[in-house]
PDB file of all heavy atoms in Angstrom:
ATOM      1  N   PRO Q 931     121.234  86.530  86.042  1.00  0.00           N
ATOM      2  CA  PRO Q 931     121.998  86.175  87.223  1.00  0.00           C
ATOM      3  C   PRO Q 931     123.194  86.925  87.332  1.00  0.00           C
ATOM      4  O   PRO Q 931     124.039  87.095  86.362  1.00  0.00           O
ATOM      5  CB  PRO Q 931     122.219  84.650  87.074  1.00  0.00           C
ATOM      6  CG  PRO Q 931     121.252  84.136  86.165  1.00  0.00           C
ATOM      7  CD  PRO Q 931     120.917  85.309  85.148  1.00  0.00           C
ATOM      8  N   GLY Q 932     123.558  87.445  88.465  1.00  0.00           N
ATOM      9  CA  GLY Q 932     124.915  88.167  88.654  1.00  0.00           C
ATOM     10  C   GLY Q 932     124.858  89.583  88.340  1.00  0.00           C
ATOM     11  O   GLY Q 932     125.876  90.375  88.485  1.00  0.00           O
ATOM     12  N   THR Q 933     123.591  90.197  88.102  1.00  0.00           N
ATOM     13  CA  THR Q 933     123.555  91.537  87.735  1.00  0.00           C
ATOM     14  C   THR Q 933     123.711  92.468  88.866  1.00  0.00           C
ATOM     15  O   THR Q 933     123.174  92.222  89.912  1.00  0.00           O
ATOM     16  CB  THR Q 933     122.148  91.897  86.945  1.00  0.00           C
ATOM     17  OG1 THR Q 933     121.963  91.013  85.946  1.00  0.00           O
ATOM     18  CG2 THR Q 933     122.047  93.367  86.608  1.00  0.00           C
ATOM     19  N   GLU Q 934     124.352  93.588  88.798  1.00  0.00           N
ATOM     20  CA  GLU Q 934     124.578  94.592  89.854  1.00  0.00           C
ATOM     21  C   GLU Q 934     123.319  95.492  89.785  1.00  0.00           C
ATOM     22  O   GLU Q 934     122.886  95.806  88.739  1.00  0.00           O
ATOM     23  CB  GLU Q 934     125.880  95.244  89.783  1.00  0.00           C
ATOM     24  CG  GLU Q 934     127.057  94.533  90.410  1.00  0.00           C
ATOM     25  CD  GLU Q 934     128.259  95.474  90.356  1.00  0.00           C
ATOM     26  OE1 GLU Q 934     128.182  96.600  90.717  1.00  0.00           O
ATOM     27  OE2 GLU Q 934     129.297  94.853  89.984  1.00  0.00           O
ATOM     28  N   LEU Q 935     123.054  95.865  90.917  1.00  0.00           N
ATOM     29  CA  LEU Q 935     121.804  96.952  91.004  1.00  0.00           C
ATOM     30  C   LEU Q 935     122.363  98.306  90.424  1.00  0.00           C
ATOM     31  O   LEU Q 935     123.557  98.632  90.512  1.00  0.00           O
ATOM     32  CB  LEU Q 935     121.630  97.229  92.518  1.00  0.00           C
ATOM     33  CG  LEU Q 935     121.000  96.104  93.377  1.00  0.00           C
ATOM     34  CD1 LEU Q 935     120.531  96.639  94.715  1.00  0.00           C
ATOM     35  CD2 LEU Q 935     119.729  95.506  92.560  1.00  0.00           C
ATOM     36  N   GLN Q 936     121.416  98.895  89.677  1.00  0.00           N
ATOM     37  CA  GLN Q 936     121.744 100.143  88.992  1.00  0.00           C
ATOM     38  C   GLN Q 936     120.857 101.245  89.603  1.00  0.00           C
ATOM     39  O   GLN Q 936     119.726 100.834  90.150  1.00  0.00           O
ATOM     40  CB  GLN Q 936     121.573 100.007  87.464  1.00  0.00           C
ATOM     41  CG  GLN Q 936     122.340  99.037  86.773  1.00  0.00           C
ATOM     42  CD  GLN Q 936     123.960  99.399  86.795  1.00  0.00           C
ATOM     43  OE1 GLN Q 936     124.205 100.501  87.085  1.00  0.00           O
ATOM     44  NE2 GLN Q 936     124.729  98.421  86.358  1.00  0.00           N
ATOM     45  N   THR Q 937     121.183 102.399  89.499  1.00  0.00           N
ATOM     46  CA  THR Q 937     120.368 103.484  89.990  1.00  0.00           C
ATOM     47  C   THR Q 937     119.400 103.942  88.857  1.00  0.00           C
ATOM     48  O   THR Q 937     119.513 103.624  87.766  1.00  0.00           O
ATOM     49  CB  THR Q 937     121.316 104.700  90.302  1.00  0.00           C
ATOM     50  OG1 THR Q 937     121.807 105.193  89.051  1.00  0.00           O
ATOM     51  CG2 THR Q 937     122.299 104.501  91.315  1.00  0.00           C
ATOM     52  N   LEU Q 938     118.428 104.659  89.335  1.00  0.00           N
ATOM     53  CA  LEU Q 938     117.393 105.242  88.515  1.00  0.00           C
ATOM     54  C   LEU Q 938     118.119 106.292  87.494  1.00  0.00           C
ATOM     55  O   LEU Q 938     117.804 106.283  86.183  1.00  0.00           O
ATOM     56  CB  LEU Q 938     116.302 105.966  89.226  1.00  0.00           C
ATOM     57  CG  LEU Q 938     115.207 106.541  88.341  1.00  0.00           C
ATOM     58  CD1 LEU Q 938     114.482 105.450  87.412  1.00  0.00           C
ATOM     59  CD2 LEU Q 938     114.089 107.154  89.264  1.00  0.00           C
ATOM     60  N   GLY Q 939     119.202 106.947  87.979  1.00  0.00           N
ATOM     61  CA  GLY Q 939     119.874 107.962  87.131  1.00  0.00           C
ATOM     62  C   GLY Q 939     120.494 107.185  85.910  1.00  0.00           C
ATOM     63  O   GLY Q 939     120.510 107.534  84.838  1.00  0.00           O
ATOM     64  N   TRP Q 940     121.075 106.061  86.242  1.00  0.00           N
ATOM     65  CA  TRP Q 940     121.813 105.255  85.287  1.00  0.00           C
ATOM     66  C   TRP Q 940     120.660 104.719  84.210  1.00  0.00           C
ATOM     67  O   TRP Q 940     120.960 104.776  83.059  1.00  0.00           O
ATOM     68  CB  TRP Q 940     122.421 103.993  85.891  1.00  0.00           C
ATOM     69  CG  TRP Q 940     123.167 103.016  84.934  1.00  0.00           C
ATOM     70  CD1 TRP Q 940     124.467 103.126  84.646  1.00  0.00           C
ATOM     71  CD2 TRP Q 940     122.609 102.010  84.317  1.00  0.00           C
ATOM     72  NE1 TRP Q 940     124.800 102.132  83.719  1.00  0.00           N
ATOM     73  CE2 TRP Q 940     123.620 101.420  83.584  1.00  0.00           C
ATOM     74  CE3 TRP Q 940     121.407 101.316  84.289  1.00  0.00           C
ATOM     75  CZ2 TRP Q 940     123.517 100.240  82.795  1.00  0.00           C
ATOM     76  CZ3 TRP Q 940     121.252 100.286  83.422  1.00  0.00           C
ATOM     77  CH2 TRP Q 940     122.222  99.672  82.738  1.00  0.00           C
ATOM     78  N   ASN Q 941     119.510 104.341  84.716  1.00  0.00           N
ATOM     79  CA  ASN Q 941     118.468 103.884  83.840  1.00  0.00           C
ATOM     80  C   ASN Q 941     117.935 104.996  82.907  1.00  0.00           C
ATOM     81  O   ASN Q 941     117.606 104.772  81.742  1.00  0.00           O
ATOM     82  CB  ASN Q 941     117.341 103.284  84.724  1.00  0.00           C
ATOM     83  CG  ASN Q 941     117.622 101.826  84.909  1.00  0.00           C
ATOM     84  OD1 ASN Q 941     117.481 101.030  84.015  1.00  0.00           O
ATOM     85  ND2 ASN Q 941     118.100 101.486  86.183  1.00  0.00           N
ATOM     86  N   ARG Q 942     118.086 106.264  83.459  1.00  0.00           N
ATOM     87  CA  ARG Q 942     117.428 107.358  82.740  1.00  0.00           C
ATOM     88  C   ARG Q 942     118.373 107.500  81.414  1.00  0.00           C
ATOM     89  O   ARG Q 942     117.905 107.955  80.341  1.00  0.00           O
ATOM     90  CB  ARG Q 942     117.382 108.633  83.459  1.00  0.00           C
ATOM     91  CG  ARG Q 942     116.227 108.654  84.456  1.00  0.00           C
ATOM     92  CD  ARG Q 942     116.109 109.941  85.331  1.00  0.00           C
ATOM     93  NE  ARG Q 942     114.880 109.895  85.963  1.00  0.00           N
ATOM     94  CZ  ARG Q 942     114.680 110.261  87.273  1.00  0.00           C
ATOM     95  NH1 ARG Q 942     115.732 110.448  88.118  1.00  0.00           N
ATOM     96  NH2 ARG Q 942     113.441 110.160  87.858  1.00  0.00           N
ATOM     97  N   LEU Q 943     119.625 107.017  81.563  1.00  0.00           N
ATOM     98  CA  LEU Q 943     120.551 107.117  80.414  1.00  0.00           C
ATOM     99  C   LEU Q 943     120.636 105.811  79.468  1.00  0.00           C
ATOM    100  O   LEU Q 943     120.644 105.683  78.343  1.00  0.00           O
ATOM    101  CB  LEU Q 943     121.956 107.241  80.805  1.00  0.00           C
ATOM    102  CG  LEU Q 943     122.237 108.651  81.589  1.00  0.00           C
ATOM    103  CD1 LEU Q 943     123.622 108.645  82.031  1.00  0.00           C
ATOM    104  CD2 LEU Q 943     122.049 109.858  80.636  1.00  0.00           C
ATOM    105  N   HIS Q 944     120.185 104.673  80.317  1.00  0.00           N
ATOM    106  CA  HIS Q 944     120.472 103.396  79.574  1.00  0.00           C
ATOM    107  C   HIS Q 944     119.227 102.495  79.330  1.00  0.00           C
ATOM    108  O   HIS Q 944     119.352 101.453  78.619  1.00  0.00           O
ATOM    109  CB  HIS Q 944     121.503 102.503  80.355  1.00  0.00           C
ATOM    110  CG  HIS Q 944     122.895 103.154  80.374  1.00  0.00           C
ATOM    111  ND1 HIS Q 944     123.347 104.000  81.488  1.00  0.00           N
ATOM    112  CD2 HIS Q 944     123.852 103.030  79.464  1.00  0.00           C
ATOM    113  CE1 HIS Q 944     124.494 104.327  81.178  1.00  0.00           C
ATOM    114  NE2 HIS Q 944     124.919 103.923  80.028  1.00  0.00           N
ATOM    115  N   ASN Q 945     118.085 102.820  80.024  1.00  0.00           N
ATOM    116  CA  ASN Q 945     116.843 102.077  79.669  1.00  0.00           C
ATOM    117  C   ASN Q 945     116.196 102.743  78.490  1.00  0.00           C
ATOM    118  O   ASN Q 945     115.716 103.879  78.700  1.00  0.00           O
ATOM    119  CB  ASN Q 945     116.037 101.857  80.896  1.00  0.00           C
ATOM    120  CG  ASN Q 945     114.821 101.036  80.737  1.00  0.00           C
ATOM    121  OD1 ASN Q 945     114.076 101.166  79.739  1.00  0.00           O
ATOM    122  ND2 ASN Q 945     114.610 100.231  81.669  1.00  0.00           N
ATOM    123  N   PRO Q 946     116.035 102.010  77.446  1.00  0.00           N
ATOM    124  CA  PRO Q 946     115.454 102.523  76.218  1.00  0.00           C
ATOM    125  C   PRO Q 946     113.966 103.191  76.444  1.00  0.00           C
ATOM    126  O   PRO Q 946     113.542 104.071  75.827  1.00  0.00           O
ATOM    127  CB  PRO Q 946     115.313 101.455  75.167  1.00  0.00           C
ATOM    128  CG  PRO Q 946     115.482 100.185  76.078  1.00  0.00           C
ATOM    129  CD  PRO Q 946     116.235 100.504  77.282  1.00  0.00           C
ATOM    130  N   ILE Q 947     113.210 102.562  77.431  1.00  0.00           N
ATOM    131  CA  ILE Q 947     111.809 102.914  77.596  1.00  0.00           C
ATOM    132  C   ILE Q 947     111.823 104.396  78.212  1.00  0.00           C
ATOM    133  O   ILE Q 947     110.941 105.159  77.811  1.00  0.00           O
ATOM    134  CB  ILE Q 947     111.130 101.982  78.776  1.00  0.00           C
ATOM    135  CG1 ILE Q 947     111.217 100.598  78.326  1.00  0.00           C
ATOM    136  CG2 ILE Q 947     109.772 102.462  79.052  1.00  0.00           C
ATOM    137  CD1 ILE Q 947     110.495 100.120  77.149  1.00  0.00           C
ATOM    138  N   LEU Q 948     112.895 104.804  78.941  1.00  0.00           N
ATOM    139  CA  LEU Q 948     112.734 106.131  79.593  1.00  0.00           C
ATOM    140  C   LEU Q 948     113.137 107.222  78.578  1.00  0.00           C
ATOM    141  O   LEU Q 948     113.031 108.416  78.851  1.00  0.00           O
ATOM    142  CB  LEU Q 948     113.600 106.222  80.853  1.00  0.00           C
ATOM    143  CG  LEU Q 948     113.222 105.270  81.976  1.00  0.00           C
ATOM    144  CD1 LEU Q 948     113.936 105.510  83.179  1.00  0.00           C
ATOM    145  CD2 LEU Q 948     111.756 105.472  82.201  1.00  0.00           C
ATOM    146  N   SER Q 949     113.604 106.788  77.403  1.00  0.00           N
ATOM    147  CA  SER Q 949     113.893 107.954  76.381  1.00  0.00           C
ATOM    148  C   SER Q 949     112.752 107.927  75.250  1.00  0.00           C
ATOM    149  O   SER Q 949     112.826 108.705  74.427  1.00  0.00           O
ATOM    150  CB  SER Q 949     115.228 107.818  75.749  1.00  0.00           C
ATOM    151  OG  SER Q 949     115.483 106.436  75.454  1.00  0.00           O
ATOM    152  N   MET Q 950     111.748 107.078  75.479  1.00  0.00           N
ATOM    153  CA  MET Q 950     110.528 107.083  74.530  1.00  0.00           C
ATOM    154  C   MET Q 950     109.765 108.359  74.669  1.00  0.00           C
ATOM    155  O   MET Q 950     109.557 108.745  75.761  1.00  0.00           O
ATOM    156  CB  MET Q 950     109.806 105.779  74.753  1.00  0.00           C
ATOM    157  CG  MET Q 950     110.582 104.611  74.155  1.00  0.00           C
ATOM    158  SD  MET Q 950     109.546 103.116  74.302  1.00  0.00           S
ATOM    159  CE  MET Q 950     110.709 101.854  73.714  1.00  0.00           C
ATOM    160  N   LYS Q 951     109.165 108.722  73.500  1.00  0.00           N
ATOM    161  CA  LYS Q 951     108.468 109.959  73.520  1.00  0.00           C
ATOM    162  C   LYS Q 951     106.907 109.762  73.354  1.00  0.00           C
ATOM    163  O   LYS Q 951     106.098 110.598  73.485  1.00  0.00           O
ATOM    164  CB  LYS Q 951     108.893 110.899  72.412  1.00  0.00           C
ATOM    165  CG  LYS Q 951     110.455 111.258  72.546  1.00  0.00           C
ATOM    166  CD  LYS Q 951     110.515 112.508  73.468  1.00  0.00           C
ATOM    167  CE  LYS Q 951     111.977 113.003  73.727  1.00  0.00           C
ATOM    168  NZ  LYS Q 951     112.670 112.241  74.803  1.00  0.00           N
ATOM    169  N   SER Q 952     106.546 108.465  72.848  1.00  0.00           N
ATOM    170  CA  SER Q 952     105.288 108.189  72.582  1.00  0.00           C
ATOM    171  C   SER Q 952     104.694 106.917  72.892  1.00  0.00           C
ATOM    172  O   SER Q 952     105.553 105.947  72.967  1.00  0.00           O
ATOM    173  CB  SER Q 952     104.937 108.542  71.107  1.00  0.00           C
ATOM    174  OG  SER Q 952     105.560 107.536  70.310  1.00  0.00           O
ATOM    175  N   LEU Q 953     103.411 106.741  73.076  1.00  0.00           N
ATOM    176  CA  LEU Q 953     102.767 105.429  73.349  1.00  0.00           C
ATOM    177  C   LEU Q 953     102.945 104.518  72.126  1.00  0.00           C
ATOM    178  O   LEU Q 953     103.102 103.352  72.323  1.00  0.00           O
ATOM    179  CB  LEU Q 953     101.251 105.590  73.485  1.00  0.00           C
ATOM    180  CG  LEU Q 953     100.376 104.469  73.709  1.00  0.00           C
ATOM    181  CD1 LEU Q 953     100.805 103.607  74.891  1.00  0.00           C
ATOM    182  CD2 LEU Q 953      98.927 104.806  73.753  1.00  0.00           C
ATOM    183  N   GLU Q 954     103.102 105.086  70.851  1.00  0.00           N
ATOM    184  CA  GLU Q 954     103.459 104.223  69.711  1.00  0.00           C
ATOM    185  C   GLU Q 954     104.720 103.668  69.836  1.00  0.00           C
ATOM    186  O   GLU Q 954     104.692 102.410  69.500  1.00  0.00           O
ATOM    187  CB  GLU Q 954     103.239 105.159  68.481  1.00  0.00           C
ATOM    188  CG  GLU Q 954     101.815 105.675  68.119  1.00  0.00           C
ATOM    189  CD  GLU Q 954     101.257 106.620  68.989  1.00  0.00           C
ATOM    190  OE1 GLU Q 954     101.993 107.302  69.671  1.00  0.00           O
ATOM    191  OE2 GLU Q 954     100.076 106.585  69.194  1.00  0.00           O
ATOM    192  N   GLN Q 955     105.695 104.336  70.257  1.00  0.00           N
ATOM    193  CA  GLN Q 955     106.999 103.781  70.375  1.00  0.00           C
ATOM    194  C   GLN Q 955     106.827 102.553  71.512  1.00  0.00           C
ATOM    195  O   GLN Q 955     107.596 101.534  71.290  1.00  0.00           O
ATOM    196  CB  GLN Q 955     108.045 104.876  70.914  1.00  0.00           C
ATOM    197  CG  GLN Q 955     108.755 105.628  69.831  1.00  0.00           C
ATOM    198  CD  GLN Q 955     109.713 106.577  70.566  1.00  0.00           C
ATOM    199  OE1 GLN Q 955     109.267 107.514  71.177  1.00  0.00           O
ATOM    200  NE2 GLN Q 955     110.961 106.397  70.277  1.00  0.00           N
ATOM    201  N   PHE Q 956     106.272 102.898  72.521  1.00  0.00           N
ATOM    202  CA  PHE Q 956     106.129 101.993  73.682  1.00  0.00           C
ATOM    203  C   PHE Q 956     105.453 100.635  73.209  1.00  0.00           C
ATOM    204  O   PHE Q 956     105.781  99.584  73.497  1.00  0.00           O
ATOM    205  CB  PHE Q 956     105.478 102.670  74.798  1.00  0.00           C
ATOM    206  CG  PHE Q 956     105.353 101.708  76.091  1.00  0.00           C
ATOM    207  CD1 PHE Q 956     106.446 101.512  76.932  1.00  0.00           C
ATOM    208  CD2 PHE Q 956     104.151 101.130  76.476  1.00  0.00           C
ATOM    209  CE1 PHE Q 956     106.397 100.611  77.877  1.00  0.00           C
ATOM    210  CE2 PHE Q 956     104.053 100.373  77.570  1.00  0.00           C
ATOM    211  CZ  PHE Q 956     105.229 100.019  78.350  1.00  0.00           C
TER     212      PHE Q 956
END
Side-chain angles (χ1 to χ4, degrees):
T933 304
E934 270 187 46
L935 296 184
Q936 300 290 349
T937 63
L938 182 56
W940 182 89
N941 274 287
R942 284 178 169 134
L943 298 172
H944 295 99
N945 187 313
I947 304 294
L948 295 188
S949 48
M950 287 182 184
K951 299 276 179 273
S952 68
L953 174 62
E954 287 68 31
Q955 270 181 297
F956 183 71

